[in-house]
Amino acid sequence: MKTKEELLKEFIKNAEAACANVIPVAGDVYSIKFAVQEITEGENEILVSNSGIIEQSLFEWISDDKKYLKYFDKEKLKNTRTGITPAVCGIASSGSVVIPILDDFTSYISMLVRNHIVILDGKNIVNRPRELFDEENENIFLNGSYSIITGPSATADMGPLVRGVHGPGKLHIIVTEGYDE
Amino acid sequence: MNSKSIHPKEFASKANKDNLFKAIDYALAFESESVRHNTQTFNNNRYRAISQIEDYEELKNRARIIKENSIRNLPFLVEKLTETIEGRGGTVFYAKDKNEAVNFIKEICLSNSVKLAVKSKSITSEEIKLNETLEKENIEVVETDLAEFILQLSKEQPSHIVAPAIHRSRESISELFKENIKTEDPLETGEELTAFASKTLREKFLGADVGITGANLISAEEGTILLVESEGNIRLTTHLPAIHIAIAGIEKIIPTRKDFGVFIELLAASATGQVLTSYTNILEPPLKAPVLNLNKRSDKERKFYLILLDNGRMAMRNDPDLKEALYCIRCSACMNVCANFQTVGGHAFGGEYYTGGIGASWAVGTTGKLEEGRFAELCTGCSRCVPNCPVRIDIPRLNTVIKNRLLELESPSLQKMFFGYFGAMAKIVSKFPSLVNYFMKLNPIKVVLKNLLGVEIEREIPEFAEHTFVELYKKRNSQKHHQGKSEKEKQKVIVFADVFINYNNPTVGINAVELLENFGIHAELSDVYDDGRAALSQGMIQYAEKKAAQTTSYLKNLIDEGYDVIVIEPSVLTMLRNDYKKLLKDDKLYDVIKEKCYDLFEYLNMKIEKGDINIDLIKKNIRFTGEKIFYHGHCQLKSIGLGNEAPEFYRKLGINVEVSTQECCGMAGSFGYKKHYYKISKSLGLSLWEQIKNKFGSKEGIVILASGISCREQLKSFSEKKEKVYHPVEYLNRLISGK
Ligand code: SF4
Ligand code: SF4
């Protein structure tokens, strides 16, 4: 059995190998805010969906800044370049994040923007993809719809490997190293 | 031939033999380079990915069991899935054939006033010719997977089940776009082409009235669809339009989504060589995500339709042989690992929509026409796909069955009989080897062979030896006194006199006997038996079964007397250890044969391991002067896990051996002698030499080793400097004897 720290380390290594930009942060509200600000520098509008997955207090700072849009219409959804969503879980061996498909805009953000920023609780990382379907995780993964996202959208159909096709060309993962400690 | 003078669609169906031959010529001329590059990249990545799954073999067993059970319980699973989806507000339609399926989809589209449909890649939708039907109703159907987008422009059929435009280079895609699309956008680099296609398609996504997808798997219990992709087009297809139509063959149903874990790891590793592809979508439609109506419709809620397609699958399920094809999870590993597929791709080694070794069974099963599976002839039975299939399908066996049924339908050609009855023919011909060898070299005879038997004129027919293995062995024994063994100490060993070693390559046999003696193992020689390999590779199953029965009844007696059996020719050993399982239909007997028949180097390695023989005995007698050695492992030997035995033995002697990475030499018994297939075989022969040159440059003094008789013939045929090619045992004896 791997420890949480080992899983986190492996997750970071494999997510980077899958061409995600991984930013490990302490997990307090400021470290998350700082990481987001750094990635979104120069952006005017950023869509945010939390779906109640990440502790709400960690998102409060968003209200301070008008460029973060918690409420937006479908035109914004269609035209905004950058968006933030939570992940319910990460997978160490593949460096993937699991994004739920709920009755909000979370999954839309994760597919329509060019830059997708994911916030992942570093304690929610499983070892291998198959564990998502283990009885242990029954409450989370044995029903409902999800997309397991591994790196940016990509294709080799036009010859060389190109990142950024129908989905985001950039995937940033802000992974907390344990904010409730 | 000019690439534009003929279109691949013209020879998509291989029902007609000429189409197959035309397709081979076309693919070799225009598609081979891209196909080889792309499939080999997939294949290398796959090897890397599976090496990281520690329990890969166990995972494959689990996948196989899940699929076997699912197919067994299919009617129940269909019922359960229908109930689950309908319970959630979706609609399920069981389509008995393709007409029922397309008509149903057409009706959904018409009743929902659909003008524009976006579609993700789905071979099943190609099987039912969905696009054509919808287009007749003035519904625009847009393929959103970039490879399918290319094919929609080029009007070609897919050349690969995972990467359908694998036959096209960037340059050819650029040319295609420029010829067919009016745009100011640059269309040169991969980035430019991708950017253009995704921009064009984004507009289509936003305006689409319906999204059509396939399914990788569906769980009956939860009604969950697994859809794996890299580009993100499936996500948009299933989210943006409020109406989602999924079409899936009934074989895609498995009991529960708990089983997805096994498949998502195997599928990604086996298909593209990744731990996971960019998006693994686990969907329970109708999705909860809000309806956006960016298409300006006013759909109030999501609608989901699942079309479960039978179209011959239930009949396949009742077919004792073709049933196995239903376990396929369409990963394409069997294509990427296949030397012939790497050379011609799916436009030749494929039919209208299904490609590769597994494709022939699907072409037959879904059309009900045996002739549609004629491209099974391109399966040489090399078996490289078998250990690489995540659900352990015996793909060469399926193709042998199709060849066999075609023989029954069309009666065997003289060519098939010539190669299939090799054992019987060799027995007669070997009475006058010099005469036969002389005639076989004469041009008029070669012309007759070509016209009558379809034997390629460029090929040298292997010579028959002046003295057979049995004759040489007897002569040797009469001249040499063997040190007897004390009964208690010795294991009785017998070398199997197969027809190839006996009539064509007896010196290899004698070398094997000598090597064993060098280790203090006195080997006896068996009677000559035709094991049935030659017949089986022509699809002559019944004759092969007869030969298998005769050979095993002989060998079984020897084994009962306490003999270990050494088999020199790899294709014969794999026949005994692998193919006999199905040919004998007697598991107990098969187990005895499998247990006690050995590859020579496997046997020696095993004896060294057990401490029964001492490698130092030979090590100190060896006169090795540092030659560069290249070993090409026999395809079938590799597939039963013995490809590395000879190099390992050499390494134990302190001799380094470079090992070929080419999956098969391309000769594959009789395949390379057949005039219609010669060019594929030649292309592989040359690429094998290319690999040798890349490894060693064009230095002199390279030693080439190959265990298979046809691998040696193939390597000799295309060697520029007429390098000698040895069986590893032959070369070893030279090192020992200093000759
Ligand atoms: S047995 Fe060999 S030739 Fe036949 S499909 Fe498999 S890999 Fe290809
Ligand atoms: S037969 Fe096996 S290897 Fe080939 S596509 Fe199907 S599952 Fe994959």
Side-chain angles (χ1 to χ4, degrees):
Chain A
M1 268 289 268
K2 289 178 182 153
T3 63
K4 293 272 175 208
E5 286 71 27
E6 284 166 338
L7 289 174
L8 178 64
K9 226 163 129 187
E10 201 183 324
F11 170 82
I12 295 173
K13 186 185 91 198
N14 291 323
E16 283 174 345
C19 280
N21 171 32
V22 187
I23 308 121
V25 297
D28 56 283
V29 71
Y30 298 105
S31 64
I32 295 178
K33 178 179 171 182
F34 187 70
V36 171
Q37 277 173 343
E38 214 171 56
I39 302 167
T40 58
E41 213 185 304
E43 300 276 354
N44 299 327
E45 290 184 325
I46 296 133
L47 309 180
V48 185
S49 171
N50 181 23
S51 315
I53 287 165
I54 301 275
E55 198 185 311
Q56 202 52 43
S57 63
L58 292 170
F59 273 87
E60 270 163 13
W61 52 274
I62 283 167
S63 323
D64 307 343
D65 192 332
K66 286 206 168 48
K67 76 174 184 177
Y68 300 108
L69 309 180
K70 269 205 282 189
Y71 306 100
F72 45 86
D73 61 15
K74 59 188 187 186
E75 284 305 309
K76 283 270 186 253
L77 184 60
K78 194 172 101 182
N79 297 320
T80 310
R81 285 174 45 82
T82 301
I84 306 176
T85 72
V88 277
C89 170
I91 305 171
S93 71
S94 56
S96 318
V97 286
V98 183
I99 306 293
I101 300 171
L102 305 166
D103 57 358
D104 61 10
F105 286 159
T106 305
S107 58
Y108 278 118
I109 293 179
S110 74
M111 69 183 80
L112 287 170
V113 298
R114 304 314 290 162
N115 302 307
H116 178 204
I117 302 168
V118 178
I119 302 184
L120 168 68
D121 178 349
K123 293 195 297 320
N124 287 340
I125 295 175
V126 299
N127 187 24
R128 308 201 59 124
R130 68 182 82 158
E131 286 168 29
L132 297 184
F133 305 96
D134 276 357
E135 301 288 352
E136 266 179 47
N137 289 309
E138 188 151 14
N139 296 332
I140 314 178
F141 296 103
L142 288 183
N143 54 57
S145 301
Y146 299 88
S147 286
I148 306 173
I149 300 184
T150 314
S153 102
T155 187
D157 285 344
M158 299 288 181
L161 181 72
V162 179
R163 296 204 169 79
V165 193
H166 301 296
K170 293 227 166 78
L171 176 68
H172 308 271
I173 305 170
I174 299 175
V175 54
T176 67
E177 293 178 313
Y179 56 80
D180 62 350
E181 253 87 19
Chain B
M1 198 194 304
N2 171 326
S3 73
K4 305 229 164 78
S5 67
I6 179 165
H7 190 278
K9 262 263 143 77
E10 291 170 35
F11 48 70
S13 157
K14 306 295 185 294
N16 168 332
K17 272 186 199 151
D18 284 342
N19 272 6
L20 177 61
F21 306 147
K22 249 190 250 169
I24 292 171
D25 286 345
Y26 182 91
L28 285 170
F30 306 113
E31 300 182 343
S32 190
E33 204 181 316
S34 285
V35 172
R36 185 169 283 167
H37 171 78
N38 293 326
T39 47
Q40 288 184 350
T41 306
F42 278 142
N43 198 35
N44 294 337
N45 291 345
R46 185 183 54 77
Y47 278 126
R48 195 166 346 108
I50 60 172
S51 73
Q52 283 159 16
I53 306 179
E54 311 96 51
D55 57 347
Y56 175 60
E57 297 300 327
E58 167 57 21
L59 212 55
K60 290 197 292 184
N61 289 343
R62 284 171 61 192
R64 170 81 187 200
I65 290 168
I66 295 167
K67 287 297 294 186
E68 278 180 6
N69 289 340
S70 304
I71 297 302
R72 192 176 309 120
N73 300 329
L74 195 51
F76 166 76
L77 292 180
V78 169
E79 216 173 282
K80 175 74 199 152
L81 174 63
T82 307
E83 195 186 297
T84 313
I85 299 273
E86 291 186 342
R88 223 171 32 224
T91 305
V92 179
F93 179 72
Y94 187 97
K96 279 206 278 312
D97 57 30
K98 57 184 180 187
N99 290 334
E100 281 194 10
V102 282
N103 286 334
F104 181 75
I105 298 173
K106 185 175 86 182
E107 286 313 316
I108 302 169
C109 290
L110 294 177
S111 62
N112 284 286
S113 315
V114 170
K115 298 268 168 320
L116 173 60
V118 281
K119 187 165 160 274
S120 69
K121 185 171 62 207
S122 152
I123 316 176
T124 315
S125 76
E126 313 216 17
E127 178 187 323
I128 61 170
K129 298 197 175 5
L130 178 61
N131 293 13
E132 290 165 32
T133 310
L134 296 185
E135 278 157 6
K136 274 193 203 133
E137 302 297 324
N138 292 322
I139 296 167
E140 183 186 357
V141 187
V142 178
E143 294 288 351
T144 62
D145 171 84
L146 293 199
E148 290 288 351
F149 179 76
I150 295 168
L151 297 187
Q152 206 170 16
L153 266 185
S154 69
K155 301 189 170 57
E156 293 164 307
Q157 71 275 24
S159 59
H160 186 273
I161 55 170
V162 167
I166 204 165
H167 58 287
R168 280 194 170 261
S169 63
R170 180 194 54 75
E171 292 79 3
S172 87
I173 299 166
S174 166
E175 197 181 314
L176 173 77
F177 277 31
K178 286 185 207 158
E179 275 171 16
N180 291 281
I181 301 167
K182 280 205 183 73
T183 173
E184 298 290 301
D185 292 1
L187 297 171
E188 288 301 335
T189 66
E191 282 80 9
E192 288 166 0
L193 293 163
T194 304
F196 172 78
S198 37
K199 186 175 86 177
T200 310
L201 290 170
R202 181 58 71 99
E203 287 311 308
K204 300 291 181 191
F205 277 122
L206 295 173
D209 305 303
V210 64
I212 303 174
T213 68
N216 290 98
L217 288 172
I218 313 178
S219 73
E221 185 71 35
E222 304 85 357
T224 308
I225 301 189
L226 177 73
L227 276 162
V228 176
E229 57 161 339
S230 295
E231 296 177 357
N233 60 315
I234 293 181
R235 303 188 75 208
L236 295 176
T237 304
T238 51
H239 271 71
L240 289 175
I243 309 167
H244 175 193
I245 301 174
I247 164 143
I250 44 176
E251 83 285 2
K252 300 286 179 72
I253 312 172
I254 59 172
T256 140
R257 86 186 226 174
K258 284 182 203 152
D259 297 328
F260 281 1
V262 172
F263 290 99
I264 58 176
E265 287 188 27
L266 279 175
L267 193 56
S270 307
T272 50
Q274 292 164 292
V275 189
L276 287 183
T277 43
S278 301
Y279 304 109
T280 303
N281 302 299
I282 297 149
L283 307 178
E284 286 186 5
L287 297 181
K288 291 197 178 123
V291 177
L292 296 185
N293 282 327
L294 291 169
N295 48 16
K296 306 208 168 54
R297 288 170 63 103
S298 41
D299 290 319
K300 298 263 177 314
E301 56 178 12
R302 291 186 177 273
K303 290 183 190 162
F304 174 62
Y305 302 91
L306 174 64
I307 289 87
L308 291 174
L309 182 68
D310 178 340
N311 201 33
R313 287 160 173 82
M314 277 300 182
M316 285 169 84
R317 182 172 170 269
N318 292 329
D319 182 316
D321 295 300
L322 294 192
K323 178 166 100 180
E324 213 186 342
L326 294 172
Y327 306 152
C328 174
I329 57 168
R330 310 239 168 116
C331 72
S332 82
C334 58
M335 281 149 244
N336 302 328
V337 76
C338 173
N340 277 0
F341 192 91
Q342 289 177 359
T343 308
V344 293
H347 281 169
F349 199 165
E352 289 191 86
Y353 30 83
Y354 289 106
T355 57
I358 190 65
S361 304
W362 277 96
V364 172
T366 55
T367 59
K369 294 186 196 130
L370 204 44
E371 299 92 320
E372 293 292 343
R374 188 177 311 279
F375 58 93
E377 294 289 352
L378 293 194
C379 173
T380 61
C382 81
S383 77
R384 288 304 300 130
C385 49
V386 180
N388 294 296
C389 170
V391 276
R392 300 190 184 280
I393 298 179
D394 189 347
I395 298 151
R397 168 72 192 190
L398 288 171
N399 289 325
T400 306
V401 167
I402 292 174
K403 289 181 206 175
N404 181 259
R405 291 182 188 176
L406 277 167
L407 285 179
E408 281 167 10
L409 188 79
E410 297 171 343
S411 77
S413 63
L414 282 176
Q415 183 190 61
K416 293 233 171 216
M417 294 203 279
F418 174 70
F419 288 116
Y421 296 130
F422 173 79
M425 189 189 65
K427 191 172 173 184
I428 302 165
V429 162
S430 67
K431 306 252 187 292
F432 344 89
S434 316
L435 196 65
V436 174
N437 293 339
Y438 171 76
F439 273 108
M440 287 297 195
K441 285 196 170 51
L442 296 178
N443 262 338
I445 298 288
K446 284 186 157 190
V447 172
V448 172
L449 286 180
K450 181 177 176 179
N451 293 337
L452 204 64
L453 304 175
V455 175
E456 171 57 40
I457 212 156
E458 301 272 317
R459 283 280 186 201
E460 297 289 335
I461 300 290
E463 289 193 350
F464 286 93
E466 282 302 315
H467 299 285
T468 64
F469 185 18
V470 173
E471 287 163 1
L472 291 181
Y473 182 87
K474 277 188 187 148
K475 191 167 158 216
R476 187 175 176 277
N477 266 14
S478 66
Q479 289 166 353
K480 205 168 170 181
H481 175 69
H482 294 285
Q483 314 258 305
K485 302 171 191 186
S486 74
E487 278 312 307
K488 65 176 177 16
E489 162 202 356
K490 300 301 177 190
Q491 165 68 50
K492 294 202 280 185
V493 172
I494 195 156
V495 170
F496 181 61
D498 68 73
V499 287
F500 307 107
I501 293 288
N502 187 56
Y503 298 117
N504 298 105
N505 257 210
T507 51
V508 170
I510 289 296
N511 273 287
V513 172
E514 277 178 10
L515 182 70
L516 286 164
E517 264 171 20
N518 276 316
F519 281 108
I521 301 170
H522 170 66
E524 294 172 48
L525 185 62
S526 78
D527 293 347
V528 183
Y529 270 84
D530 178 353
D531 59 294
R533 165 61 74 195
L536 191 69
S537 69
Q538 305 308 314
M540 296 155 69
I541 296 178
Q542 293 73 10
Y543 187 71
E545 280 173 348
K546 199 168 113 194
K547 292 289 145 190
Q550 289 166 350
T551 306
T552 28
S553 99
Y554 173 72
L555 288 178
K556 170 78 167 47
N557 285 337
L558 292 173
I559 292 166
D560 287 346
E561 284 171 35
Y563 281 96
D564 283 345
V565 183
I566 307 279
V567 184
I568 303 168
E569 173 52 30
S571 63
V572 175
L573 179 70
T574 50
M575 186 77 176
L576 304 178
R577 288 217 333 210
N578 185 50
D579 301 81
Y580 274 18
K581 183 169 175 57
K582 290 198 173 115
L583 293 174
L584 292 176
K585 299 179 190 116
D586 177 343
D587 282 353
K588 273 206 189 115
L589 182 56
Y590 163 73
D591 286 342
V592 173
I593 299 292
K594 189 181 169 205
E595 192 74 9
K596 287 290 172 189
C597 294
Y598 301 90
D599 166 67
L600 174 65
F601 287 101
E602 174 196 26
Y603 195 70
L604 291 175
N605 283 331
M606 190 180 83
K607 289 275 164 194
I608 293 168
E609 196 84 348
K610 282 190 184 161
D612 290 351
I613 57 175
N614 184 356
I615 186 106
D616 294 329
L617 271 180
I618 287 220
K619 210 169 174 178
K620 57 176 188 267
N621 288 332
I622 279 207
R623 273 158 274 180
F624 178 61
T625 50
E627 287 82 0
K628 303 265 179 258
I629 302 181
F630 180 88
Y631 171 74
H632 175 74
H634 186 273
C635 47
Q636 292 166 332
L637 210 52
K638 285 190 274 198
S639 291
I640 60 165
L642 301 177
N644 213 22
E645 294 290 340
E648 194 186 315
F649 185 81
Y650 269 66
R651 284 181 205 120
K652 283 182 181 146
L653 294 169
I655 300 172
N656 188 39
V657 177
E658 282 285 345
V659 178
S660 150
T661 56
Q662 187 159 309
E663 299 287 354
C664 167
C665 71
M667 181 68 109
S670 61
F671 183 80
Y673 291 100
K674 296 178 178 173
K675 67 177 180 190
H676 293 295
Y677 309 137
Y678 171 71
K679 283 192 211 151
I680 302 179
S681 174
K682 181 177 177 181
S683 169
L684 283 163
L686 293 175
S687 84
L688 188 50
W689 273 105
E690 200 56 41
Q691 191 182 125
I692 298 174
K693 281 190 216 149
N694 288 340
K695 282 234 153 74
F696 300 118
S698 48
K699 275 187 225 125
E700 298 289 324
I702 301 167
V703 174
I704 315 288
L705 306 181
S707 316
I709 189 166
S710 56
C711 313
R712 291 193 294 279
E713 286 300 326
Q714 173 80 329
L715 278 155
K716 280 185 218 161
S717 301
F718 299 109
S719 108
E720 283 166 17
K721 295 183 191 152
K722 299 282 162 231
E723 281 96 339
K724 183 121 175 46
V725 184
Y726 302 93
H727 188 288
V729 75
E730 247 179 320
Y731 186 68
L732 203 54
N733 273 351
R734 285 171 68 95
L735 293 180
I736 296 166
S737 66
K739 276 185 251 161

